[in-house]
Amino acid sequence: MPCSSGLSRSCILPALSNRKLSGKKGLHRGLANLISIILALLALVGIIHFFSVQISVFTEDLPIMREQMNQNLYAAQEWISDTFGVSNGIVREWVEEGVAGLTSVDNALRTAFKATTRTLLVIGLMPVYVFLMLYYRNKFREFVLRMAPDKEAARAENILSELNLVAIKYMTGVFKVVLILAIVHSVAFSIMGLKYPILLGVIAALFNFIPYFGTLMGALFPLIFSMVAMDSLQYTLWVLIYFVIIQFVENNILTPNITGSHVSLNPLVTILSLIVGSMIWGVIGMFIIIPFVAMLRIVCEHYSYLKPIAFLLSDRGTEAHAVSLKKLKNIFTST
């Protein structure tokens, strides 16, 4: 088949080889991959050092925080008893049960550190996997193209290019959202007067690797901390109001503009995917399942008999019922 048709695998594979030969400038691929992995490891070491310093300060203050927690719980006991007329004895039993559960923080931290050690041993092998995946990435691409029939070679090339683009855009977009929220959370907690604002802000932001539920899950730690470690429930109220606002901003402004346009999945499919991902791989599955479903949507869009599935997965088809600034403007102008 002549190369001008653009459909033959015999045309596409030499083109890939020529592209690799013509693009051989700068560092050798193996050396470039090694430098990238070293830089990533240095960043990981910096992150681990940051958390170790913050957590060491946090654990040193645990006795003071436990005493403040007891004071807050007994103050809440008096308030509940006076407001709702519940017997002090019943409320005291609730408080004592809560204190007994919360005073096992030390054991929980030890268990968490043991689990972290095991996880680090597994993560230690990841640089090897990443290096080999980067080193052989063109080989994997050519493998897929060789598996495709001649008449499907051009389509396979387009699919691979789109899959690569959506994965990169989604991952970089999520990292941008998490970085922005880490800074915003830390500044907001500092303004509120919370202790350890940077630690709380970073922990809350990290949960945003999980779409939709991330902000709510990340809010739990600052909320609990403000209730048991601060000297007034006013901090809890401010944290609650803040996360209600940030949930709206993140779901309607940040994520749709940074990652949503590349993924293009409807919320129902996203939530169901998160549930399935958590059932299979836990929290990690909730993070990686979305780009996989987005890739499935892209593959389905390239085949006519699979386009209905792509339509079902996508965010198209509900434009008539979607809320937009234009519709809101029309409502207010008509009234």
Side-chain angles (χ1 to χ4, degrees):
M1 184 178 291
C3 289
S4 59
S5 64
L7 297 176
S8 175
R9 180 174 60 220
S10 61
C11 301
I12 292 178
L13 292 178
L16 287 176
S17 300
N18 292 335
R19 188 192 309 169
K20 287 187 289 182
L21 291 174
S22 62
K24 273 194 172 181
K25 296 179 181 179
L27 294 175
H28 183 270
R29 167 173 293 182
L31 181 59
N33 292 340
L34 182 61
I35 292 174
S36 300
I37 291 174
I38 291 175
L39 292 175
L41 288 175
L42 289 176
L44 180 62
V45 169
I47 294 172
I48 293 174
H49 175 70
F50 164 78
F51 276 106
S52 64
V53 171
Q54 294 288 323
I55 291 175
S56 63
V57 176
F58 182 82
T59 52
E60 288 176 0
D61 292 343
L62 274 179
I64 300 174
M65 292 168 55
R66 187 178 292 114
E67 183 179 351
Q68 182 64 55
M69 176 187 66
N70 292 333
Q71 294 177 6
N72 291 343
L73 288 174
Y74 284 110
Q77 167 193 336
E78 295 296 331
W79 181 82
I80 293 174
S81 179
D82 294 340
T83 304
F84 299 101
V86 181
S87 171
N88 278 333
I90 297 175
V91 178
R92 190 176 296 110
E93 289 180 3
W94 296 346
V95 172
E96 289 175 354
E97 291 177 1
V99 171
L102 290 172
T103 51
S104 60
V105 173
D106 296 335
N107 294 330
L109 286 174
R110 292 192 190 98
T111 304
F113 280 122
K114 290 179 182 178
T116 302
T117 304
R118 290 194 296 268
T119 303
L120 289 176
L121 292 175
V122 176
I123 292 176
L125 295 175
M126 289 184 61
V128 179
Y129 302 146
V130 173
F131 177 84
L132 294 176
M133 291 290 289
L134 290 174
Y135 190 79
Y136 290 110
R137 63 182 182 272
N138 284 344
K139 190 178 185 69
F140 296 139
R141 187 184 188 92
E142 289 187 17
F143 164 75
V144 174
L145 293 175
R146 290 176 186 271
M147 290 291 294
D150 282 347
K151 63 180 181 179
E152 298 290 335
R155 179 184 290 177
E157 170 72 11
N158 291 333
I159 292 175
L160 288 174
S161 298
E162 292 185 27
L163 295 183
N164 181 60
L165 180 63
V166 73
I168 292 174
K169 293 293 186 181
Y170 177 77
M171 294 299 180
T172 54
V174 169
F175 274 100
K176 288 178 182 178
V177 171
V178 169
L179 179 60
I180 292 171
L181 289 178
I183 296 172
V184 173
H185 290 341
S186 301
V187 172
F189 294 157
S190 297
I191 295 173
M192 293 178 197
L194 287 180
K195 299 177 182 177
Y196 319 107
I198 297 178
L199 177 63
L200 294 175
V202 172
I203 291 176
L206 287 176
F207 281 96
N208 281 87
F209 281 115
I210 302 171
Y212 286 98
F213 304 117
T215 303
L216 297 176
M217 294 171 65
L220 291 177
F221 192 78
L223 278 172
I224 295 173
F225 179 84
S226 64
M227 284 190 289
V228 301
M230 303 302 293
D231 58 1
S232 173
L233 290 179
Q234 180 181 358
Y235 295 99
T236 305
L237 178 62
W238 284 116
V239 171
L240 182 61
I241 294 173
Y242 167 74
F243 273 102
V244 170
I245 297 172
I246 209 67
Q247 170 76 10
F248 176 82
V249 172
E250 189 270 332
N251 280 347
N252 295 278
I253 298 176
L254 281 180
T255 297
N257 287 282
I258 296 177
T259 63
S261 59
H262 305 291
V263 176
S264 299
L265 298 175
N266 68 69
L268 177 61
V269 170
T270 302
I271 292 173
L272 293 178
S273 301
L274 291 173
I275 295 172
V276 173
S278 66
M279 293 171 62
I280 299 175
W281 296 302
V283 176
I284 300 298
M286 296 178 74
F287 169 56
I288 66 174
I289 194 67
I290 300 302
F292 276 108
V293 178
M295 292 177 185
L296 173 63
R297 177 189 60 79
I298 290 173
V299 173
C300 293
E301 285 181 347
H302 283 269
Y303 296 92
S304 58
Y305 54 91
L306 294 178
K307 283 186 176 181
I309 298 178
F311 176 78
L312 181 64
L313 298 176
S314 71
D315 54 1
R316 303 189 305 270
T318 57
E319 294 82 0
H321 310 289
V323 178
S324 63
L325 292 176
K326 184 177 180 180
K327 290 182 179 179
L328 292 176
K329 189 182 295 184
N330 292 335
I331 291 174
F332 287 111
T333 54
S334 61
T335 55

